[in-house]
Every structure is written in structure tokens, then in C-alpha cells.
Amino acid sequence: MMLAQQETNLPPTISIKNLSIDYKAKRGQVQAVRNISFEVDRGEAMALIGESGSGKTTIGLGVVGLLPPTAKIRQGEIIYRRAADGKIVDEIDVLKLNPQQIRQFRWKECAMVFQGALNAFNPVLRISDQFADTASAHNALRGMALKERATEILHMVRLDADRVWRSYPHELSGGMRQRVLIALSLLLEPQLIIMDEPTTALDVLTQRNIMDVLKDLRKNLNFSLIFISHDLSLAAELADKVSTVYAGKIVELGDVYTVFRNPYHPYTIGLIHAVPTLAGRKEDLTSIPGSPPDLINMPTGCKFHPRCPLADDQCKTQEPDLEEIGKGHRVACWKWQTARETLKRFKAS
Amino acid sequence: MTAGEVTQPKPQGFRIQDLPGKIWSNYVLRRIVRALVIIWLITTIIFFVIRLMPGNAFDLMVADMVVNRNMTEDEAKIRASSLLRINFNRPIGEQYLEYMSNLAKGDLGYSFINNNRTVQELLAQKLPWTLFSVGTSLMISFTLGMLLGMIAAYKRGSWLDHLITNFAAAMDAIPQYIYAIVLVLLLGVIWKIMPVMDMKGVLSPGIKPGFTFEFIWDALMHLRVPAFVYVLSTVGNWALSMKSSTLSTLGEDYVTVARARGLSDSRIITSYVGRNASLPLVTALALSVGFALGGSVVIESVFNYPGIGLELSKSLSNRDYPMLQGIFLITTTSVIFTNLIADLIYGWLDPRIRIAGGE
Ligand SMILES: Nc1ncnc2c1ncn2[C@@H]1O[C@H](COP(=O)(O)OP(=O)(O)OP(=O)(O)O)[C@@H](O)[C@H]1O
Ligand SMILES: [Mg+2]
């Protein structure tokens, strides 16, 4: 990262502490996010990885205050810090903002690029109008300055700025729209960007293209990133840190290199094996058997135990907490010390 | 392309054989051509219905005059021909051409009962009142309905939503004449808020039509109750349509993204939700305008409002065929034209349609 030296010892851009979020559903409370804590440093990218329904989007929505009315934040704290000139100039307790303040916070401080957002633009307005709308909502750029800034960021995402500027959304392809949205997220120079599966709805080539754009942006700009994906290989490419999320809880967290080399949680190990590598043989592709738990009637103990070959009585009754097992590497598993070895033996037999 | 054409450097040259294709590829022109073709078809059908079908208007008129006015059959035929402005002794092709050229000139024949008055003259007299009353009421009803529908959608599940939705559904179900009778009874007879005479007709005696404040004011005063009836009977439908359309728009990704972008609520309500949610209502509005030009028969009859609707019911009971034909013609043309206008407005409101038209 091209980080200004002075910025490296500043406190994190965002600190989430003990966050729990429920949804009210007909059958009962959906415990979508359970006691999650993590931090993202200046210029750092954190990947949230997990299966469908594990609560990743919910975390993102919580940060930008866009949870639906049926959601309730049971506990926790979200602290965002804005830095300027090597100092923290503002510290915002996001959950305490009033509606007007949170409106200002969105996009200006933290932009969220939505999951499969092919329909992210108003079909009846030109892209230029939607840029202008965003800028004027925050009393930011207008006129020529806006146009110049837009041209600059549209170039950054490798688009023909002039053409895109005058287009209506339907005149652009899905991949182009996604890049326009990414460019738009940069418009107000937020210090935190949340990208919720930015490549999911796209074909493989377009996905590749967007990943390259994102890597470029990370190299050239200085923003913190929360990158949500169910694809570990994408996370490995882009992120500095990775968290695996299972049933609304972080079960393993560490820097990308360590987690990839030495995963300890059986779920992470399963996810890594589920990634086909170009070199890997077919039989390495063991996906995780079973399906994610029902978030309304959760299993007791470790939520992963019904799918875990290592589970014993302790796993069935007591839920493990995240435990620091190495520098910045945390795991929530009773069996972490022996997990990899045992799983290898299971597979061999 | 042949070699011969290549030697002629006329890249943007006009070729008559390209014209149909060009018109067809242009959204606006295509709609206009389609509307004209439909109008031609309908007028042609009317011609055949009047002249050729068994039990057609011509034969009925002749029979009517023979029985009720003691005419001989030949006299009656001559009279009917002159009223309908079709010479029935000529070959059918010539009759058709004559009929079409009369229409093109705006000549719709003579009214059967209003002696010596042309249909177009009578229509021209009634039409402004219908335009005025329906136009005003429809605008009020549409605007109010949109507002109520949006409020209900935004406050989904609240008591306000239940109130609006239930009232709208109930009001939509009650027939117009009930509103009319109940209002006349309540306002004029039971509460005695306004004299029944003031609800009837379009003007007080002694007021001269013209561009004066007095005239406009008096016309509006006479419109109050009929417009109220019209609004009551139609606003529910607008509110319900707008509510469902708004609800589906609110679920769109771009609305969530707009909120994530920090746009103000007012900007989101107008340009993001409102504009998209009202798209489907534009066509419905145009259709209402088109049909309403035929006059609201019930309201105009109850309040003795001299518009097209009242004229229609009079002509029906008097079997005034030329008049009926005229009213039928202007109603259908107005439906087709307002539909055309709706298409054009829609294309203007929704850029996706504009492109789709240019395949
Ligand atoms: N509005 C809601 N009402 C009730 N339950 C919800 C609601 N939104 C999400 N959930 C539930 O909360 C859980 C977490 O959902 P979330 O969308 O955060 O998952 P995700 O990890 O983003 O999944 P995906 O990879 O499919 O996007 C899911 O079990 C989901 O069914
Ligand atoms: Mg999601």
C-alpha cells in the first residue's frame, strides 16, 4: 500500500465492537449478526467471507444505517474515524447519529456498493444526473468541477467517460454499470468503502476485469475497504485481512496470507478446499457437506458442529469464543490445534 | 448494393422507397401513423354499420319516419339521406368516398331532432363544457389519488395506510349516481348549504360567456358539486393504482442505492420513486381523458350539465342517429388521440421506450 508514513499509526478507520443484529420474522427472531467485532485500518482491505445467509450484507447495512425496519440492533458499537493531515479529525459513533446526520454520513464518509446492483441506477435519469444528485446531496462539487472529477474517476475504472456521462443506465452493459457504481462510490472520496459481492452477477471475464479495476484503485487511492464475498480466492487477491463468517459470527480472522497458509477453523479449511485452483486436482474439491443452520432455531454449542467431522460433546454444548492463537490471528474452535491434521487424516481414509 | 448505386455519391439522399422504413423506425411517427390508420378503420366500420348491416341506422330511421311522421317510404329515404349526408342511390363505392370526404371536411350531417342544426355545430357547443368539467375534475382526482396512494405506500401497514386503502376501495365500489343523489340530498335538502338550482346547469341566468372573471367564477361555482361527485367516484381507483405502483418501486434496488448515496428524502420521493411509480399511470390517465370526453352520462344527466354526455342520453332516447354517429366518432377519435399522446409522453418520461422504438 502507498500509505503516507504518518497514517500507519493512526487508529483504525472503523471499529466494530460486539455488534448483534436481529430480524423480526414470522417464525421468530433471525439472529443474523451475533456479537461481531473487527477493525479495518487506514488503507486496509478486510474481506468478509461466508456462505449465503451468513449475515455479511446485514453487517454492511448496519454500518451505513440502512437496515430495514424489521431489523433491530441488539447491542454493539460502530465507531468511524475520519483522518486528515495525519490526524484523526472526527470520531463518529454511527449508531448514535440522527437521521439527518446519517444521511450525510452515507457516501460522504462510507460508500456501499451493493450486491448484484445491476439495477442500482434510476432508469429514467442520465448517469450525469445521478452523479449530480449525489454531489448536491452533500453540497459537494457541481458544474465543471463535478464533470472533471467524474471524468477522472470514470477513467480510473477504465470507462469511456464522455460516453458514459451522457448515457442512460439501460444503455450500459452490466459490467459497465457496476464500474460506474464503483466510480460513483469514489466521487466524494469516502475513507471507507463497503463492496458487497461487487462481481457476483457478472460473467467470469467481466468479473476479472472488475477485480483488476479494484486492485488498481487500491494501489492508487487510500481508502479502507470492507470486501464482502463468498469467494475466498477473490478475497485473497484483494484483501489484507480476512474474516470467515459463519451463522452471523466471525469464526476465524487473520491476515490473508496466514489464514490461507494456516487455516485453523474447520469451516475455513473447508472453504479453502472448496476453491478450485488451476493446478489443483479434481478430488481436492471437497465442498463442505450439510447446509448452513437455521438462524431462528440455532443449534446449541458451536453452530458449525452439525457439519463438523471433529465435533465432540464439548462442541455440542459450549460455543467457543474467538481466541488469539497467533499475531493477529484469531479462531473460534475448540479443536483448532488438531483440526487440520485430523481433517487430513479423515480425507485420506 | 449494386455497383451502379455506389457510383452515385448520395449518402444522405432521399429515396421514396425508404420512406415507410424511416417512418416505421421513428417512434413518434410510427405512433402517429398507427393512430391515423385506426381512425380510418373505425370510420369505415361506422359507414358500413350505418349503411349495410341488417337493422342499420338508415333503415331504422326510415321506418321511424314512416311510422311516426306519416311519410311515404320514398320521402323518408330522401330525408334520411339528407340528414346522414349520404346519397343512397349511388353505388356503394361512391357513397363511401362521399362519406369520407364529408368527414374530412368536418361535415357530420344534420341532427334528427334539432331541426336544421348540423351535428358538428351541436357538438362544438357541448364539447367545451365537457372538456372543462371533465378536465378539471380529472386533474383534481388524479393528483389527489397519486398523493394518497404514495402516502399509503410510504406508510405501509400504519393506520393511515389502512384508512386510505379501505376508503379508496369502498369509494371505488360505489356507483356514481349514488354519490350524485346523496350529495344533492345532503347539500341541497338536508343541510341546505347550497340551493339545488346552483348545482344544476353551467351558468346562472344572465351571465354571458366570455373571457371575464364573472363568467369563469360562475362556471366554477356550478361545477363544484358535479366535480365533487366525479372526484369521489374516481379518486379511489387512482389511489389504489398509485399505491401498488409505488410499493413495487420502493422495492427497487435503485431506491436503496439512492438512500445509500445520502440523497434527501424529497429528492428520492420525487425523482426516484414518484417518477418511476407514475409511469404506469400515464397510460391509464390518457385513457380516462379519452373516455371522459364522451362525457360522463350519469353526472351530466343528474346535474343537467349540457355536455356531450347529456347530449348522448338525449340522442339515445330520441334515436337521433346522425347525432349518435357524431358522438361515437369524436369519442373514439379522442380515445385514440389521447392514447397517442400517452405513448408520446411515456416515451418522453421513460428513456427505455425511446430506444426500444428505434430498433
Ligand atoms: N429483511 C429481513 N427479514 C428477515 N430476515 C432477513 C432479512 N434480511 C436478511 N434476513 C436473514 O438474515 C440472514 C443474513 O442475511 P444476509 O443478507 O446478511 O446474508 P448474506 O451473508 O449477505 O448472504 P448472501 O451471500 O446470500 O448475500 C439470512 O438468514 C436472511 O434470511
Ligand atoms: Mg449478501
Side-chain angles (χ1 to χ4, degrees), chain A residues 237-261:
Chain A
E237 243 182 274
L238 197 67
D240 305 308
K241 284 200 295 191
V242 56
S243 304
T244 31
V245 183
Y246 189 79
K249 193 176 156 84
I250 293 180
V251 293
E252 183 157 8
L253 184 161
D255 74 76
V256 160
Y257 193 77
T258 318
V259 171
F260 251 85
R261 275 301 172 84

Side-chain angles (χ1 to χ4, degrees), chain B residues 1 7 24 28 75 85 87 90 102 105 125 132 195 214 227 238 259 291 318-320 327 348 351-352 356:
Chain B
M1 228 193 230
T7 53
W24 198 246
V28 175
E75 277 171 352
R85 306 276 285 136
N87 190 339
R90 300 241 212 104
N102 281 342
K105 280 182 278 182
Q125 200 177 33
F132 168 65
E214 218 186 358
W238 292 122
R259 293 176 63 211
F291 281 113
N318 293 318
R319 274 160 298 174
D320 188 342
I327 293 174
W348 173 66
R352 287 166 295 187

Side-chain angles (χ1 to χ4, degrees), chain A residues 334-345:
Chain A
W334 297 122
K335 307 277 174 213
W336 66 270
Q337 275 158 319
T338 54
R340 224 174 315 143
E341 292 308 307
T342 328
L343 282 173
K344 218 177 266 167
R345 246 182 297 124

Side-chain angles (χ1 to χ4, degrees), chain A residues 66 103 106-107 112 114 116-117 119-125 130 133-134 137-138 168 170-171 181 184, chain B residues 252-254 256-265 267 271-272 275-276 279 349-352 354-355:
Chain A
L66 278 178
R103 183 173 87 64
R106 291 177 193 145
W107 221 258
M112 179 157 176
F114 283 89
N119 198 8
F121 290 101
N122 185 346
V124 301
L125 294 183
Q130 311 203 34
D133 270 351
T134 314
H138 298 276
Y168 285 99
H170 70 269
E171 295 166 338
L181 186 60
L184 183 57
Chain B
E252 295 283 355
D253 287 344
Y254 55 80
T256 316
V257 175
R259 293 176 63 211
R261 281 156 56 199
L263 300 200
S264 64
D265 287 341
R267 180 73 185 155
S271 302
Y272 286 69
R275 187 152 166 205
N276 284 289
L279 283 179
L349 286 176
D350 188 345
R352 287 166 295 187
R354 253 177 273 166
I355 297 303

